[in-house]
């Protein structure tokens, strides 16, 4: 058992690692409550057959930093059900898992890979708390309103000065034109920017004269592919790397920018829509090339900020206002700190998040 402490614990947490097993249904689950100094941890329930304790811990820790930096009264937590999300047993497993965490007030579950608003409704029904609910249960449909994409556009409003670009007329490239990517493109277009390229699993669409975001969103919803847009050039999926632009929004997968391709990027500002889209070495190369890269937990916090407003019974309007206020403030704080110390923004963001968690921890009883 002491191995678990050696492997995972440090000065920030985790407070609890709980394994859940129910022999009759076959439920196997892991709950990690990392740090609740600022308030109960918000973090998703992931449902996948192969999630490890280390992965759940890393995801919980990432939520600790993201929530602290977002300035919401929540710590970090995460959990996983080790099962295929298409199992016919899904409702039983989720309900049992929820009951197992009934008394863990330090954890507010939300949706993640393999779970959705229906899963969250089952969780709420069992234990009276969850976020990411449907409207009828008081939820704010964060994917439908584009909470994360909106936050990315607010982030761009602040970061433009640091990247020495103007949003008006800025050329935008989106890798992964899904929920986050399409809404980011729409909110950036509203601010005068022009979408010049968008990609998905099947290819890249490129038009240096500009792509109509609404039209592309409709086509992607109807056909599932960006390359069915009439007009522009159809290029291979990974062609985005060499497309010149001002703002690049990676909004698909982790680790897409690394030490091999970072040198090829022809942009001035990166807004990280996906989680960890840039490796540590990639960040260093971008920084040395003068590209401003705003880290995920600053730029894509719109979704979790929205969830926190939902948890307090707030409205959609309040969610937009809070996202705007928090992301504006945090982007400026991180970029100012990075500039003052000639630091990579991701390092400055982590410094700030750690300071906030340490400050919240200082108010807690230690004996
Ligand atoms: P999504 O499934 O709606 O969209 C992802 C898009 O990326 C799809 O169009 C898919 O075709 C495309 N894609 C996948 N692999 C690709 C590849 N290799 N090259 C190009 N395109 C590729 O998902 P989403 O909700 O938009 O989330 C995107 C990312 O943002 C994920 O990493 C997610 O964890 C992260 N994120 C999402 C939110 C949110 O509010 N939804 C919040 C924070 C972070």
């Amino acid at each position: 058992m002491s191995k678990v402490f050696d492997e995972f614990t440090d000065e920030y947490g985790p407070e609890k690692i709980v394994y859940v097993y129910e022999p009759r249904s076959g439920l196997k689950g892991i709950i990690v409550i990392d740090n609740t100094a600022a308030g109960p941890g918000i973090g998703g329930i992931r449902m996948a057959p192969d999630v490890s304790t280390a992965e759940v811990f890393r995801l919980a820790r990432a939520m600790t930093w993201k929530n602290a930096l977002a300035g919401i009264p929540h710590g970090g937590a995460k959990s996983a059900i080790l099962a295929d999300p298409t199992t016919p047993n899904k409702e039983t497993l989720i309900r049992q898992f929820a009951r197992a965490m009934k008394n863990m007030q330090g954890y507010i579950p939300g949706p993640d890979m393999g779970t959705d608003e229906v899963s969250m409704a089952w969780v709420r029904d069992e234990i009276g708390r969850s976020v990411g609910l449907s409207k009828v249960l008081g939820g704010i449909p964060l994917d439908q309103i584009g909470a994360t994409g909106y936050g990315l556009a607010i982030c761009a409003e602040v970061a433009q000065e640091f990247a020495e670009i103007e949003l008006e007329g800025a050329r935008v490239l989106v890798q992964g034109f899904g929920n986050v990517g399409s809404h980011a493109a729409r909110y950036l277009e509203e601010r005068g920017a022009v979408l010049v390229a968008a990609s998905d699993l099947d290819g890249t669409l490129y038009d240096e004269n500009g792509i109509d975001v609404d039209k592309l969103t409709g086509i992607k919803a109807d056909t599932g592919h960006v390359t069915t847009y009439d007009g522009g050039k159809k290029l291979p999926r990974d062609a985005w790397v060499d497309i010149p632009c001002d703002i690049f929004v990676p909004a698909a997968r982790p680790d897409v920018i690394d030490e091999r391709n970072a040198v090829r990027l022809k942009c001035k500002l990166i807004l990280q829509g996906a989680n960890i889209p840039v490796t540590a070495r990639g960040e260093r190369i971008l920084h040395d090339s003068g590209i401003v890269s705003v880290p995920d937990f600053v730029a894509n916090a719109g979704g979790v900020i929205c969830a926190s407003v939902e948890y307090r019974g707030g409205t959609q309007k309040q969610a937009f206002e809070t996202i705007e206020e928090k992301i504006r403030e945090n982007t400026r704080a991180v970029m100012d700190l990075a500039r003052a110390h000639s630091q990579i923004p991701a390092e400055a963001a982590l410094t700030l998040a750690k300071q906030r968690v340490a400050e919240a921890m200082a108010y807690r009883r230690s004996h």
Side-chain angles (χ1 to χ4, degrees), residues 142-143 148 175-176 178-180 200-201 220 251-253 273-275 300:
L142 66 93
D143 275 345
T148 304
Q175 187 230 6
N179 197 286
V180 171
D200 61 20
L201 265 176
K220 170 83 177 160
R253 314 271 317 167
N275 292 323
N300 76 14

Side-chain angles (χ1 to χ4, degrees), residues 196 204-211 227 229-235:
V196 294
T204 301
L205 170 71
Y206 175 47
D207 190 338
E208 59 187 353
N209 298 315
I211 297 164
T227 44
Y229 185 88
D230 56 347
K233 288 184 198 141
K234 316 289 150 56
L235 304 172

Side-chain angles (χ1 to χ4, degrees), residues 291-313:
I291 297 174
V292 172
S293 170
V294 189
D296 52 1
F297 61 107
V298 180
N300 76 14
V304 78
I305 295 172
C306 185
S308 141
V309 172
E310 173 186 311
Y311 189 67
R312 279 165 185 73

Side-chain angles (χ1 to χ4, degrees), residues 257-260 262-263 278-288 344:
I257 303 162
D258 57 21
E259 71 270 26
R260 287 165 301 171
V263 281
V278 187
T279 65
R281 290 170 76 176
E283 290 280 12
R284 167 57 57 198
I285 292 167
L286 296 174
H287 185 70
D288 293 345
I344 295 175

Side-chain angles (χ1 to χ4, degrees), residues 50 78 122 134 259 325:
D50 55 352
K78 201 91 182 184
W122 295 329
S134 64
E259 71 270 26
E325 184 198 325

